[in-house]
């Protein structure tokens, strides 16, 4: 498969107004006395209020790229910028402060929640970690977070096992929104859910973006789902970016053979329009 034209990628990442930029990200892992490269020379930019879809089959490096963007893991080469500035060192106070503005929603809604903590404690934890008290008071803020994801305050004393998969993912989203971030990484947030429940969560994410002005990196293996939610799409294969462009244009006239295979392999997902 041909790799993406490097000039196209770099021109995309030089946009002055970009909220998040990845420049030539590379990640190697030790393997049998040598190294294995799982991500190679990946570059893109995400504008404020935009949703960039990052697609590819399992093992293509999507989640690794996302974790490098958030500095959950360190890149072997390359650089991440947020609002035009390189990310601070992982242990610095500046990076700790920046984490309030960069959050992630994980794929498995149950594994991402502590089963020993009530929903109230789960939602309150970000405020305790960052030593930040909501202006309106913690109880009012927790109720507001639940309402924003379609749940009510009766959820607060309950535990994760008492909820359905879709409800648990709504709780994860509420926790990610607790500190009012501007950038969310959505790491296959509906792949563990039934199709109809996943469609409801996707519509929730779209509504939250509209009302809160959020910027998303949406990771998926489903091109129809990406077409519904995303403004632009970046296609990864074997750790490299092979296509990047306007979502509708890429979905209707893909230039790379691998992108055409992804489109052909995924059925349409029923997502109700608002």
């Amino acid at each position: 498969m041909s790799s993406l034209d490097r000039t196209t990628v770099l021109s995309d990442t030089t946009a002055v107004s970009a909220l998040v930029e990845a420049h030539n990200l590379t990640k190697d892992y030790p393997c049998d006395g040598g190294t294995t490269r799982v991500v190679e020379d990946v570059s893109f930019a995400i504008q404020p209020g935009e949703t960039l879809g990052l697609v590819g089959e399992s093992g293509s490096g999507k989640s690794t790229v996302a974790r490098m963007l958030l500095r959950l893991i360190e890149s072997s080469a390359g650089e991440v910028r947020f609002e035009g500035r390189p990310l601070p060192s992982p242990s610095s106070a500046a990076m700790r402060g920046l984490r309030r503005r960069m959050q992630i929603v994980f794929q498995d809604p149950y594994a991402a929640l502590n089963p020993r903590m009530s929903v109230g404690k789960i939602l309150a934890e970000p405020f305790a970690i960052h030593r930040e008290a909501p202006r309106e008071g913690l109880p009012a803020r927790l109720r507001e977070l639940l309402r924003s994801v379609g749940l009510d305050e009766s959820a607060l004393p309950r535990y994760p096992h008492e909820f359905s998969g879709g409800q648990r993912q709504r709780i994860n989203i509420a926790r990610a929104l607790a500190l009012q971030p501007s950038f969310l990484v959505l790491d296959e947030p509906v792949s563990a859910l039934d199709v109809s429940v996943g469609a409801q969560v996707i519509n929730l994410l779209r509504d939250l973006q509209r009302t809160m002005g959020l910027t998303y990196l949406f990771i998926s293996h489903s091109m129809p789902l990406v077409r519904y939610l995303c403004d632009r799409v970046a296609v990864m294969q074997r750790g490299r970016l092979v296509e990047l462009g306007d979502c509708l244009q890429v979905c209707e006239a893909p230039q790379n053979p691998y992108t055409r295979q992804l489109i052909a392999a995924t059925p349409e997902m029923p997502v109700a329009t608002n």
Side-chain angles (χ1 to χ4, degrees):
M1 302 291 180
S2 60
S3 62
L4 180 64
D5 185 338
R6 182 176 174 82
T7 303
T8 303
V9 176
L10 291 181
S11 65
D12 180 86
T13 62
T14 54
V16 175
S17 60
L19 179 69
V20 181
E21 301 167 62
H23 290 273
N24 311 118
L25 289 182
T26 297
K27 182 62 179 178
D28 298 325
Y29 284 107
C31 180
D32 297 329
T35 60
T36 297
R37 180 155 292 181
V38 295
V39 173
E40 184 172 359
D41 203 25
V42 169
S43 299
F44 56 79
I46 310 175
Q47 309 302 318
E50 179 185 38
T51 300
L52 176 68
L54 188 61
V55 301
E57 62 191 341
S58 297
S60 61
K62 306 184 301 295
S63 294
T64 301
V65 169
R67 283 158 174 74
M68 286 191 285
L69 284 185
L70 299 177
R71 206 146 207 178
L72 297 178
I73 60 175
E74 289 297 294
S75 62
S76 302
E79 181 181 65
V80 177
R81 290 177 173 264
F82 190 84
E83 294 183 330
R85 298 180 179 180
L87 291 186
S89 63
S91 59
S92 67
M95 189 65 221
R96 182 183 178 89
L98 195 56
R99 292 198 187 281
R100 296 186 181 96
R101 304 189 57 200
M102 307 168 69
Q103 292 290 317
I104 185 169
V105 176
F106 293 101
Q107 178 178 358
D108 187 336
Y110 190 72
L113 299 173
N114 187 334
R116 297 179 180 273
M117 294 175 66
S118 68
V119 170
K121 290 183 178 179
I122 288 169
L123 297 184
E125 191 174 31
F127 300 102
I129 290 173
H130 289 275
R131 301 176 184 176
E132 182 174 308
R135 293 180 184 177
E136 66 271 47
L138 185 59
R141 178 61 177 154
L142 299 187
R143 292 193 295 269
E144 179 187 7
L145 284 169
L146 287 173
R147 283 195 299 270
S148 72
V149 297
L151 299 174
D152 61 48
E153 62 184 279
S154 66
L156 289 171
R158 298 164 63 191
Y159 288 80
H161 73 271
E162 299 179 66
F163 296 90
S164 68
Q167 289 171 327
R168 286 195 288 263
Q169 196 62 297
R170 289 171 186 263
I171 293 165
N172 279 310
I173 293 168
R175 179 178 58 185
L177 296 174
L179 299 175
Q180 299 178 311
S182 51
F183 176 56
L184 285 186
V185 170
L186 307 169
D187 191 357
E188 303 210 39
V190 299
S191 64
L193 306 177
D194 292 341
V195 172
S196 60
V197 174
Q200 295 169 14
V201 172
I202 289 297
N203 279 325
L204 169 66
L205 290 167
R206 191 175 67 166
D207 292 341
L208 289 170
Q209 184 175 42
R210 289 171 177 169
T211 57
M212 299 181 181
L214 297 167
T215 302
Y216 291 156
L217 175 68
F218 181 73
I219 299 172
S220 180
H221 58 270
S222 169
M223 290 298 289
L225 193 54
V226 166
R227 177 172 180 166
Y228 177 78
L229 187 66
C230 300
D231 302 295
R232 290 185 305 122
V233 59
V235 182
M236 288 192 68
Q237 182 189 28
R238 298 175 184 173
R240 296 185 65 88
L241 217 55
V242 296
E243 190 157 356
L244 173 65
D246 175 80
C247 195
L248 186 61
Q249 183 178 13
V250 170
C251 288
E252 292 191 347
Q255 300 300 302
N256 188 275
Y258 178 70
T259 308
R260 291 195 287 271
Q261 291 175 17
L262 282 180
I263 293 171
T266 53
E268 291 290 336
M269 178 176 181
V271 183
T273 57
N274 292 337

